[in-house]
Amino acid sequence: MTGTILVYLKYPEPGRVKTRLAATLGAEHAAELYRTWIGHVLERMQPLRPKVRIVGAFDGAAESAFAPWSGLVDAWWPQPAGELGARLDAGFKQHAANGPVFAIGTDCLELDAQRIQDAVASLQNFDTVFGPANDGGYYLVGMARYLSGFFEGIRWSSPDTLQDHLDRCRDKNWSVTLLPPLNDIDTEADWKAYLVRRDDVSLAVVISAINEAAALPCTLESLAKQTATADRVLIVDCGSRDDTREVTARYRADVLDSMTPGRGHQIAAGVDACSQAFIVVAHADMRFPPDALARIREHLHAQPDCPGGCLGHCFDSARTAYRIIEWFDQRRARAGQSYGDQCQFFRRTALQRVGGFPAQPIMEDVELAARLRKLGVPAALECPVLVSPRRFEQRGVLRTLWQNWRFRRAYRRSGVSATQAIFDTYYPHRVRS
């Protein structure tokens, strides 16, 4: 045994964790993120076991509440009452008999086992080690042996925290070594910056279009105003005769020509043309809430086993009939049976394992949901996009619902072989090429 890592964490109760993050993201969302960070940090420490002992220093609930992470630690230790310095001092004093002691939190998602190993090795020649955070604090602190008074007189949660410690070590003649600096996540800006630094959260939005010059401006405007914008917006056009291409150029989106009619064929061509990790499939008349793309990135990053899912939808109409449709569609989405107008998204490489995006003229959204279910549990994020009820208004609500039910039944019975007949019925005036 070469030492102990104390992972200081709180129970992820909304309103009591990540309050600076919650100020802009909301208490529930911040707590959800913090919950995933606990697992992320503990999992990254696993290569160190059993040479280094992992101890969960918990607070905010009974030990039993932390059971979901019990397999990732060697022991639990309840933090005592008091300010941070007193709690850190108590932890180091309690565990110093097992060798060097290190303390980390759950705010630095870039910390990995290799940096911990570097810290362990450094204490063969130094009394203390710090991992500086770029906000003036630190993501790691370690002692080769227990040093009485080490945590006294420190200005906590300030830009001077690390400097105060370095000054104290100098005054006491304790030798110090520093690891490379990393970033903590305390605010929404920190979280977004972390996502940008990750090379596996690139995101593309693919939109199929035929003569959508009237609808596209609102859709593209909502994408331009995202808190975390897309790395690419690709319009897949199939012979538009209006100003669709001019509108696309105005918003600096890319255009791909597809000569095969059918939304599924268009989207499949767009997906093949994208290299981004995450793909969002949008309709040309779909308006996104400002945090939609950030929510998708956050969820897929935090839940690596999730293959994709949907945002949900809200019809741009006050009619009660649409609230009922939304309710039923939401229930289906929670069961992994989302539709295209709920804004589906997925991991591009994961979907390739089950045949990729379904290149078929219609019912591609039903098939996509089925393929995602083969990969895991799809998400229903309940971050609804605003969609036009124009199809329902043109054909009548009851007639459209009846027709959609018949199409789904035909597809369940016959699969892809039924899609061309469904397409011809749904678009009776569109000329097949």
Side-chain angles (χ1 to χ4, degrees):
M1 185 77 65
T2 58
T4 300
I5 301 174
L6 296 170
V7 185
Y8 279 72
L9 51 89
K10 295 181 180 179
Y11 184 72
E13 180 180 347
R16 297 192 66 182
V17 295
K18 306 307 299 178
T19 53
R20 291 170 62 191
L21 189 65
T24 53
L25 292 184
E28 294 284 347
H29 189 187
E32 177 187 346
L33 285 176
Y34 182 73
R35 176 182 290 275
T36 65
W37 296 352
I38 292 174
H40 175 88
V41 170
L42 290 175
E43 285 171 359
R44 300 200 90 184
M45 298 299 105
Q46 297 311 295
L48 299 169
R49 302 169 75 188
K51 293 182 178 180
V52 177
R53 190 164 177 255
I54 311 296
V55 175
F58 65 91
D59 185 34
E63 180 179 328
S64 58
F66 296 85
W69 303 284
S70 60
L72 300 175
V73 300
D74 297 298
W76 293 107
W77 177 73
Q79 296 181 40
E83 50 91 28
L84 178 58
R87 288 182 279 127
L88 285 167
D89 184 75
F92 276 73
K93 188 174 184 178
Q94 175 77 20
H95 297 90
N98 293 320
V101 182
F102 307 85
I104 63 173
T106 52
D107 296 336
C108 182
L109 303 186
E110 297 167 343
L111 178 60
D112 56 21
Q114 183 58 56
R115 291 186 191 269
I116 299 288
Q117 289 177 341
D118 293 343
V120 172
S122 72
L123 291 190
Q124 296 178 10
N125 302 306
F126 294 89
D127 296 321
T128 65
V129 59
F130 292 94
N134 287 322
D135 61 2
Y138 49 79
Y139 60 85
L140 173 146
V141 59
M143 297 182 197
R145 64 188 187 285
Y146 176 67
L147 302 173
S148 180
F150 182 78
F151 293 104
E152 294 178 1
I154 306 300
R155 288 172 287 182
W156 298 105
S157 301
S158 82
D160 303 302
T161 300
L162 177 58
Q163 189 58 52
D164 285 352
H165 260 299
L166 296 179
D167 292 343
R168 187 157 190 80
C169 290
R170 183 195 61 222
D171 294 342
K172 293 288 188 177
N173 291 320
W174 294 326
S175 57
V176 176
T177 185
L178 300 177
L179 300 176
L182 296 176
N183 295 279
D184 278 344
I185 301 175
D186 295 312
T187 66
E188 183 180 2
D190 295 337
W191 174 237
K192 290 177 182 176
Y194 168 73
L195 291 178
V196 169
R197 290 192 301 273
R198 298 280 300 187
D199 61 1
D200 60 349
V201 295
S202 58
L203 181 147
V205 180
V206 176
I207 304 173
S208 62
I210 300 179
N211 299 323
E212 292 287 7
L216 270 173
C218 289
T219 300
L220 296 177
E221 185 70 25
S222 71
L223 288 171
K225 293 180 177 179
Q226 290 294 297
T227 57
T229 56
D231 297 281
R232 188 182 191 192
V233 177
L234 179 62
I235 310 297
V236 187
D237 184 60
C238 189
S240 293
R241 295 184 176 89
D242 63 359
D243 295 332
T244 291
R245 297 182 73 90
E246 289 76 5
V247 169
T248 300
R250 192 184 315 151
Y251 286 90
R252 299 182 180 179
D254 296 333
V255 179
L256 176 69
D257 290 316
S258 172
M259 301 312 296
T260 306
R263 191 170 55 233
H265 288 303
Q266 290 176 250
I267 296 169
V271 172
D272 287 344
C274 291
S275 60
Q276 284 70 27
F278 306 150
I279 306 293
V280 179
V281 179
H283 289 185
D285 60 350
M286 186 175 282
R287 281 173 278 173
F288 289 77
D291 63 339
L293 301 188
R295 290 287 301 275
I296 292 171
R297 278 190 170 104
E298 291 168 4
H299 184 85
L300 293 180
H301 169 70
Q303 303 292 337
D305 294 329
C306 177
C310 73
L311 289 173
H313 64 180
C314 178
F315 288 100
D316 190 10
S317 172
R319 293 180 61 184
T320 302
Y322 295 118
R323 303 291 84 78
I324 296 172
I325 295 171
E326 291 162 8
W327 186 83
F328 277 103
D329 286 352
Q330 184 184 55
R331 285 174 60 89
R332 292 190 184 98
R334 289 174 178 171
Q337 300 174 10
S338 59
Y339 298 141
D341 59 1
Q342 292 174 293
C343 191
Q344 295 170 305
F345 58 87
F346 55 89
R347 297 179 191 273
R348 184 177 55 82
T349 54
L351 194 64
Q352 289 172 349
R353 300 202 302 269
V354 288
F357 191 89
Q360 55 194 58
I362 202 168
M363 306 300 289
E364 79 291 335
D365 54 346
V366 175
E367 180 62 26
L368 172 61
R371 294 185 185 186
L372 291 179
R373 291 196 299 275
K374 294 178 181 178
L375 294 167
V377 180
L381 295 188
E382 299 185 19
C383 180
V385 293
L386 187 67
V387 296
S388 169
R390 57 184 178 172
R391 294 288 181 191
F392 288 93
E393 297 295 326
Q394 290 169 359
R395 305 182 184 195
V397 173
L398 292 179
R399 180 187 173 193
T400 302
L401 290 174
W402 170 245
Q403 186 181 59
N404 290 346
W405 180 82
R406 289 172 52 227
F407 289 160
R408 290 194 297 270
R409 184 180 64 172
Y411 188 73
R412 284 196 299 269
R413 289 178 174 178
S414 303
V416 177
S417 62
T419 56
Q420 192 61 59
I422 295 172
F423 179 82
D424 292 340
T425 304
Y426 195 74
Y427 299 107
H429 303 298
R430 188 166 293 175
V431 178
R432 291 171 54 186
S433 60

